[in-house]
Amino acid sequence: MRGKAWKFGDHVDTDVIIPARYLVTADPETLGAHCMEDGDPDFAKKISQGDIIIGGENFGCGSSREHAPIAIKGAGISCVIAKSFARIFFRNSINVGLPIFVCPEAAERISQGDEVTADMEVGVISDETTGESWTVPAFPEYLRGIIAAGGLVPFVASGAGR
């Protein structure tokens, strides 16, 4: 995964990620068009496919709806790196096939606009702008399979989980 860093602070809740007024659909593209709209009205227009969200503490707190990680993925974000995640957001992200990385050091040091890479197989996050790198736990093969399949439902439907 490689993209431009879009930095957000602590306690970004699911209503900031996707405002409740758009929860009448679960369509990824529709939700993605409104991703982070209340925090930055032009966010979905400014990002490019593959860009990366950098969050602070407790990213994704709030409701248990899967709409938030669906919106992030639907907007074209390749992954989220944060100091920490709300537990239900963490699980929902894996369930919909959105890679997320817990790395407080990277989340602190990466700046808005930096070019960032993240490798879930090896477990390395790199700020290509500054040359800094951080080691994170590699994703187990099983989780990489879920993400590659596009989420838990397609993974199970494919029979790969047997």
Side-chain angles (χ1 to χ4, degrees):
M1 292 161 272
R2 182 184 190 99
K4 180 178 175 181
W6 295 89
K7 197 152 183 178
F8 293 88
D10 294 339
H11 309 291
V12 173
D13 70 36
T14 54
D15 288 327
V16 170
I17 296 169
I18 184 64
R21 63 187 171 275
Y22 299 112
L23 300 181
V24 295
T25 182
D27 177 65
E29 285 186 35
T30 302
L31 293 171
H34 301 287
C35 184
M36 300 298 204
E37 181 174 284
D38 283 356
D40 179 350
D42 296 321
F43 177 76
K45 296 174 188 158
K46 294 189 288 189
I47 62 172
S48 296
Q49 189 73 26
D51 282 354
I52 296 172
I53 289 178
I54 309 297
E57 297 282 351
N58 202 27
F59 188 89
C61 57
S63 79
S64 62
R65 295 181 297 253
E66 290 181 339
H67 292 78
I70 290 170
I72 291 171
K73 190 176 170 187
I77 296 294
S78 63
C79 69
V80 180
I81 300 165
K83 292 180 181 178
S84 67
F85 291 93
R87 288 184 303 163
I88 192 71
F89 180 87
F90 186 94
R91 188 63 229 176
N92 283 342
S93 294
I94 299 301
N95 285 348
V96 302
L98 176 67
I100 55 176
F101 298 86
V102 176
C103 188
E105 299 83 6
E108 184 69 34
R109 303 279 301 153
I110 294 170
S111 297
Q112 174 82 12
D114 285 359
E115 188 72 19
V116 176
T117 60
D119 186 323
M120 65 181 163
E121 188 171 343
V122 176
V124 174
I125 297 169
S126 298
D127 185 329
E128 302 297 331
T129 304
T130 65
E132 292 182 88
S133 292
W134 302 271
T135 302
V136 294
F139 281 44
E141 184 178 347
Y142 186 75
L143 287 183
R144 290 195 316 267
I146 292 172
I147 290 166
L152 183 60
V153 171
F155 179 75
V156 171
S158 74
R162 293 184 193 148

